[in-house]
Amino acid sequence: MKVAIIGATGYGGAELVRILHRHPRVSIHSVHASSSQGEPLSNSFPHMQTIVHDQLQSVDLQKIAAEVDLVFTATPSGVAKELAPALLAEGVKVIDLSGDFRMNDREIYKKWYGIDAADEKLLNNAVYGLTEWIDVDLSEANLIANPGCYPTSVLLGLAPLVMNQKVDENTIIVDAKTGVSGAGKGFSAATHFAETNDNFKIYKVNQHQHTPEIEQMLQVWNSQTGAITFTTHLAPMTRGIMATMYATATEKTSTKELLDLFKESYHDKYFVRIRKEGEFPSTKEVYGSNFCDISLAYDERTNRITVVSVIDNLVKGASGQAVQNMNKMLGIDEKTGIDFMPVFP
Amino acid sequence: MKVAIIGATGYGGAELVRILHRHPRVSIHSVHASSSQGEPLSNSFPHMQTIVHDQLQSVDLQKIAAEVDLVFTATPSGVAKELAPALLAEGVKVIDLSGDFRMNDREIYKKWYGIDAADEKLLNNAVYGLTEWIDVDLSEANLIANPGCYPTSVLLGLAPLVMNQKVDENTIIVDAKTGVSGAGKGFSAATHFAETNDNFKIYKVNQHQHTPEIEQMLQVWNSQTGAITFTTHLAPMTRGIMATMYATATEKTSTKELLDLFKESYHDKYFVRIRKEGEFPSTKEVYGSNFCDISLAYDERTNRITVVSVIDNLVKGASGQAVQNMNKMLGIDEKTGIDFMPVFP
Amino acid sequence: MKVAIIGATGYGGAELVRILHRHPRVSIHSVHASSSQGEPLSNSFPHMQTIVHDQLQSVDLQKIAAEVDLVFTATPSGVAKELAPALLAEGVKVIDLSGDFRMNDREIYKKWYGIDAADEKLLNNAVYGLTEWIDVDLSEANLIANPGCYPTSVLLGLAPLVMNQKVDENTIIVDAKTGVSGAGKGFSAATHFAETNDNFKIYKVNQHQHTPEIEQMLQVWNSQTGAITFTTHLAPMTRGIMATMYATATEKTSTKELLDLFKESYHDKYFVRIRKEGEFPSTKEVYGSNFCDISLAYDERTNRITVVSVIDNLVKGASGQAVQNMNKMLGIDEKTGIDFMPVFP
Amino acid sequence: MKVAIIGATGYGGAELVRILHRHPRVSIHSVHASSSQGEPLSNSFPHMQTIVHDQLQSVDLQKIAAEVDLVFTATPSGVAKELAPALLAEGVKVIDLSGDFRMNDREIYKKWYGIDAADEKLLNNAVYGLTEWIDVDLSEANLIANPGCYPTSVLLGLAPLVMNQKVDENTIIVDAKTGVSGAGKGFSAATHFAETNDNFKIYKVNQHQHTPEIEQMLQVWNSQTGAITFTTHLAPMTRGIMATMYATATEKTSTKELLDLFKESYHDKYFVRIRKEGEFPSTKEVYGSNFCDISLAYDERTNRITVVSVIDNLVKGASGQAVQNMNKMLGIDEKTGIDFMPVFP
């Protein structure tokens, strides 16, 4: 099977290259970008030198469609919705790492993203790719909306609680922290070392565009779920997301009982690891890997549940999950090529 | 005025030395520790060499009491309660940076700290030193329980809301993040560089000993306040605390209205800075200083208020506030010797 | 005395504001920049809010000259040489933090900086402000070329050796490491967090423009000094420079003998601290301060001397030394306003 | 093929597990440590949970020898020399990651390590495992002294110059910088976060035990090589070594000429990557991988060559190279199981 990556000069694209380069069943046919065309990709990413020999190509959709089976679009908001139709029309599968196809409601997309949403038909066609909780047969899907990094960590942490009505639907608060690679390769105050190192920041309070993405899925799981509070912070580290989540229990319970529920919910999900009672994950424990580690605690004093979920934002939060979805689309084991161990320390 | 510092080899003690060394009205008479006695303090802290010439002395309470006006105890839990009586008996004022005198309820102290509390009489005598909100005349106090680092950031952020019944008393959730210096100079997995760098951790979920300290003060301000959820995280940075706090508003309000309340509440408090609407503080913006910067946002969708408060855990969260309290005890301007600007970047 | 700062929105300018704000003898009259004019400086630097109320002004040289006694120019290369004449003509003293007035040889400046040098007359008029080794009376100087950050650390470390012919003039190698704030507030790959964090880089090998500045001064001290090898590295930290310097001894010696020479050379220089035999400084031990800490070792096996020198690049390496020079120009104690202790940890 | 790892609870051991876990030709039969016996290894390293199920076993040499083909010893100095004889006697191959078998001269070992060296016979039997420059057939070796992390980066950077007499044998100076994981999992001031973060340190000046290891190999390549100056620094990062090396050229040359020599020297060495003229590697560009990236510059002004070499200290500097050696001992392609791409950013 041959794939193309459009948007290969960003961190998401580079991580796709890292992962797919060693994938036993799929090969990278071509890498594309809107700049640096004709140059080796390894000029943009010297860590790839001598390993990756591909040159960046322009985005010629007809040519791409004629040559590959599947395309990853790791492009800024609003780009994939323009690229996808021509590819899908030629029978090429598309996995989009941007937010273009995640929201069912075009108005909500426009409100949070500030630009027009994709066509209704495309949106209806897209499958939201939170791999562990997809209830359709991906081998028949041709367009995947790969989840955002924050929503991946949050939804995996909340799923068993919300699906099983364990929490009051109007009490969900998510306090999320991310490493700086989530802000991308572009230059900004958020990515300036001297402004960020040894510093802890909060940003986009009540305004992060991942908020409706999370709410949409929670409402699929429990239609009663109300608006959530979702807060994002920037931690002085390169990779990793931790989502600390709070909700009031619908009835008295215990940490053990809830952990058992989580273990049951995820017993056949290789990439979700539930920790032992009293142990909590840290982001480095999933660094560079496709794992999502989760733990929780119930507090009798407040009747509240605290769930903690960690991922590598560039792997399970982006390119790793994209490959996991690709595997399922291609009908091969979802672990193929992404079952590497976290890099620690 | 002469002061002594007991526990000078920890980070709290060192920061007291840094601050007091340039204080125009007070001089450090002696520094004390349970180890390294006879050695220059600058052996423990080479950054003090040629500036600080004091040698570490043993803790001879009679001698100390005879020679100084005020003693700072920057000692582990359970030590200050043994030292204070002899000093107070001789008319020496004491400012304790540990938790020994913070809790009014001896049972609660024992439950969260795991050791016996100080004598009732001492506790009754102690003033909780959250400087901005002390309602007694500090010039008549002789024992100050200097607040914990987390409680300082949390309480300054919640005070206007709780005092003015702006939030539902049973909905307060605090998600706090600290730099690693808060874990002290001792060796542990929490302070091991390779385990902590580029990593984000959560710890003591529902079990941090600062929880009852926060609750006690909230209940002073509003006796209806229930148990809070308080979660602590370790961020890969040296200094700084950010507390992100959530509570449901008692009635519809607006960010502007709440910011106005905060500005009014703190209009005469030099060290608390309220940010403009839409701007939020980061920890580096108070690095090395005694400031507490606060902002907030009200979310109509959820009727929740999100407050963000940042301090330098070693300054406003410990030694800076201790000197601020000392100033008031000595009847001098509270800013004296601590009005230095944050170090940025 | 009143001073103005031109270029207040960079890190050097901000550090001047931090230092001068508490200076007992000098006040900041005005701050100037080429952008953001009319806005409060604290918009650019939120850590200054409520403390610094100055608004950024345009650079009107006549107005500035009429109102202040001294001007700091913290501007990019090539700017100060255009500003200084009008100021000097009106009797205003100028301290320039850029490289514009450091090189005596206009050709060498042009070769390394790539732009035309300042006028010969200005250069002749300028005093190179390595404060500890200035042999003219600064109170009569009106134009100071404040040394570069690297040259400050390097020259203070080499001075006793070179002045006293302790090293072979053609064997000097300097391996220097800086924190990222040295690259300024601008955006670049060098200042991008994800590219820099947990990473160690080398840059401008054999091409750093501070090379001739170091060589010029070494040749003043010993005219036989040949070209040096000077290598610069970027360490994943905000502040600090460490220069590790190597040279072959002219004759057998010992660490003790050399340390004694250094102690003697610097016995009356408050801001240079020579460490004990076997102890070596780290950058954090001078963080936020105007100190330069130095140690060394002699190796019998190779007959080589290794000198280590650390400074805070923004303080002793820029704004702190500029104020130290200002103090001497104004005839007041050089320590005034800059004798604060390093911030550790 | 089955292998055992003795010393699995250190970082070197953990990295062996990470690498070998996915090795297609070799399986980890057992993991051993002097503590935590009977506990799952994943208790020590939570990032391994659900992936690695091995329990830590005691070091029963007879049992180990009976069950495996090859043993990795990732133990403190002085341990492997006691373990190896019993294993070798049973025909089990041994790869030692400590310094026990690296020095041919027992006196030199004792001088720099402070303990007695291994038996002469063992030393004679050991092959120094700098894989790229081993001139014996590893498939016939049974004891490998895996090189130190610093020597690996230094020797790969100097080999072409020294082997080809391109540099004056008495002018070699190495200025090396390492991440903190090199100091191991133990607690010390060097590994304390608050003492190390945002800090740059120098340590063991002229005293690092890797000095004679480097010199020994240089003398194999050119018997005229004299003592080197070798300086080690601690950078605030987790992984990575950069060695910046200086030497005087024996005759006038050029950067291009030297790079061509390096490219020729390493043209068939997969894991050594020579950079283009004017480009220099950073440590993150080899993070988590077995690559060593090298560049250099010749300076006409000084007739000196500056070589820069970077590795991941835990991979090419320890466990990766150990597996590379294992592959060659087992007669399989040296890249097997270690040809993964660096993790960037």
Side-chain angles (χ1 to χ4, degrees), chain B residues 89-105:
Chain B
E90 299 295 324
V92 174
K93 294 173 189 295
V94 173
I95 299 178
D96 177 41
L97 282 76
S98 84
D100 279 16
F101 306 116
R102 293 179 195 153
M103 301 304 307
N104 296 332
D105 186 324

Side-chain angles (χ1 to χ4, degrees), chain B residues 212-281:
Chain B
E213 181 181 336
I214 295 167
E215 290 176 347
Q216 172 179 282
M217 198 67 189
L218 294 179
Q219 283 156 10
V220 167
W221 294 336
N222 178 345
S223 61
Q224 304 303 308
T225 313
I228 64 166
T229 291
F230 176 58
T231 315
T232 49
H233 303 80
L234 196 65
M237 58 189 193
T238 302
R239 289 170 178 243
I241 283 179
M242 177 180 284
T244 313
M245 296 167 273
Y246 305 95
T248 301
T250 41
E251 54 185 23
K252 286 235 163 198
T253 176
S254 71
T255 301
K256 184 184 178 313
E257 192 178 330
L258 293 169
L259 280 173
D260 285 345
L261 169 67
F262 272 65
K263 282 176 194 160
E264 173 59 24
S265 299
Y266 287 112
H267 79 280
D268 60 348
K269 317 289 191 188
Y270 180 75
F271 290 113
V272 178
R273 307 190 294 190
I274 309 302
R275 303 295 287 263
K276 276 180 275 195
E277 184 166 354
E279 291 188 5
F280 293 87

Side-chain angles (χ1 to χ4, degrees), chain A residues 89-286:
Chain A
E90 299 294 324
V92 174
K93 294 174 190 291
V94 173
I95 299 178
D96 177 41
L97 282 77
S98 83
D100 279 16
F101 306 114
R102 293 180 196 153
M103 302 304 307
N104 297 331
D105 187 324
R106 300 181 74 242
E107 290 309 307
I108 291 183
Y109 178 90
K110 183 161 188 181
K111 178 183 163 199
W112 291 82
Y113 282 81
I115 55 175
D116 284 336
D119 283 347
E120 194 81 33
K121 216 181 78 184
L122 274 175
L123 296 179
N124 290 341
N125 192 18
V127 176
Y128 186 70
L130 185 69
T131 328
E132 278 71 16
W133 295 111
I134 294 173
D135 53 8
V136 299
D137 183 354
L138 274 196
S139 70
E140 296 179 5
N142 54 22
L143 174 60
I144 301 272
N146 210 59
C149 50
Y150 282 125
T152 297
S153 63
V154 172
L155 292 170
L156 291 175
L158 291 177
L161 297 179
V162 173
M163 287 174 176
N164 297 284
Q165 285 85 42
K166 293 295 180 188
V167 293
D168 179 333
E169 300 91 347
N170 290 298
T171 62
I172 298 174
I173 292 174
V174 178
D175 190 285
K177 303 90 179 169
T178 189
V180 182
S181 63
K185 213 184 170 181
F187 298 147
S188 70
T191 63
H192 190 283
F193 187 89
E195 307 277 328
T196 304
N197 182 46
D198 225 28
N199 197 359
F200 197 85
K201 299 183 181 177
I202 185 170
Y203 69 104
K204 288 193 186 174
V205 180
N206 295 329
Q207 296 181 347
H208 200 287
Q209 71 277 12
H210 286 169
T211 310
E213 181 180 338
I214 296 168
E215 290 176 347
Q216 172 179 283
M217 198 67 188
L218 294 179
Q219 282 157 9
V220 167
W221 293 337
N222 179 343
S223 60
Q224 303 303 308
T225 312
I228 65 167
T229 292
F230 176 58
T231 315
T232 49
H233 302 79
L234 196 65
M237 58 190 194
T238 302
R239 287 170 179 244
I241 284 178
M242 177 181 285
T244 314
M245 296 166 273
Y246 305 95
T248 300
T250 42
E251 54 185 22
K252 287 236 164 196
T253 177
S254 71
T255 300
K256 185 185 178 312
E257 192 178 329
L258 294 169
L259 280 173
D260 285 347
L261 169 66
F262 273 65
K263 282 175 192 160
E264 173 60 23
S265 299
Y266 287 112
H267 79 278
D268 59 349
K269 317 288 191 189
Y270 180 74
F271 290 113
V272 178
R273 307 190 293 189
I274 309 303
R275 303 294 288 262
K276 277 180 274 195
E277 184 166 355
E279 291 189 5
F280 292 88
S282 70
T283 58
K284 198 75 184 269
E285 289 166 5
V286 296

Side-chain angles (χ1 to χ4, degrees), chain B residues 159-343:
Chain B
L161 298 179
V162 172
M163 288 174 175
N164 297 285
Q165 284 84 43
K166 293 294 182 188
V167 293
D168 178 333
E169 300 90 350
N170 290 298
T171 62
I172 298 174
I173 292 174
V174 178
D175 190 285
K177 302 91 179 168
T178 188
V180 182
S181 63
K185 213 183 169 183
F187 298 147
S188 71
T191 63
H192 190 284
F193 186 90
E195 307 276 329
T196 304
N197 181 48
D198 224 28
N199 198 358
F200 197 85
K201 298 183 183 179
I202 186 170
Y203 69 106
K204 289 193 186 176
V205 180
N206 294 330
Q207 296 180 349
H208 199 287
Q209 71 276 10
H210 286 170
T211 309
E213 181 181 336
I214 295 167
E215 290 176 347
Q216 172 179 282
M217 198 67 189
L218 294 179
Q219 283 156 10
V220 167
W221 294 336
N222 178 345
S223 61
Q224 304 303 308
T225 313
I228 64 166
T229 291
F230 176 58
T231 315
T232 49
H233 303 80
L234 196 65
M237 58 189 193
T238 302
R239 289 170 178 243
I241 283 179
M242 177 180 284
T244 313
M245 296 167 273
Y246 305 95
T248 301
T250 41
E251 54 185 23
K252 286 235 163 198
T253 176
S254 71
T255 301
K256 184 184 178 313
E257 192 178 330
L258 293 169
L259 280 173
D260 285 345
L261 169 67
F262 272 65
K263 282 176 194 160
E264 173 59 24
S265 299
Y266 287 112
H267 79 280
D268 60 348
K269 317 289 191 188
Y270 180 75
F271 290 113
V272 178
R273 307 190 294 190
I274 309 302
R275 303 295 287 263
K276 276 180 275 195
E277 184 166 354
E279 291 188 5
F280 293 87
S282 71
T283 58
K284 198 74 186 270
E285 289 166 4
V286 297
Y287 196 96
S289 84
N290 200 51
F291 290 97
C292 174
D293 283 13
I294 297 174
S295 192
L296 59 82
Y298 172 73
D299 185 14
E300 288 197 343
R301 300 169 67 248
T302 58
N303 194 35
R304 262 184 219 118
I305 301 164
T306 302
V307 184
V308 185
S309 163
V310 300
I311 59 169
D312 182 317
N313 57 305
L314 295 177
V315 188
K316 183 60 178 168
S319 305
Q321 185 160 242
V323 173
Q324 191 180 356
N325 284 325
M326 178 199 77
N327 287 339
K328 296 193 101 166
M329 290 172 95
L330 302 181
I332 58 180
D333 187 299
E334 70 168 348
K335 297 195 296 289
T336 310
I338 45 174
D339 60 341
F340 35 77
M341 205 181 289
V343 178

Side-chain angles (χ1 to χ4, degrees), chain B residues 119-174:
Chain B
D119 282 348
E120 194 81 33
K121 216 181 78 185
L122 273 174
L123 296 178
N124 290 341
N125 193 17
V127 176
Y128 186 71
L130 184 69
T131 328
E132 279 71 16
W133 295 111
I134 294 172
D135 53 7
V136 300
D137 182 354
L138 274 197
S139 69
E140 294 179 7
N142 54 21
L143 175 59
I144 301 273
N146 209 59
C149 50
Y150 282 126
T152 297
S153 64
V154 172
L155 291 169
L156 290 175
L158 291 177
L161 298 179
V162 172
M163 288 174 175
N164 297 285
Q165 284 84 43
K166 293 294 182 188
V167 293
D168 178 333
E169 300 90 350
N170 290 298
T171 62
I172 298 174
I173 292 174
V174 178

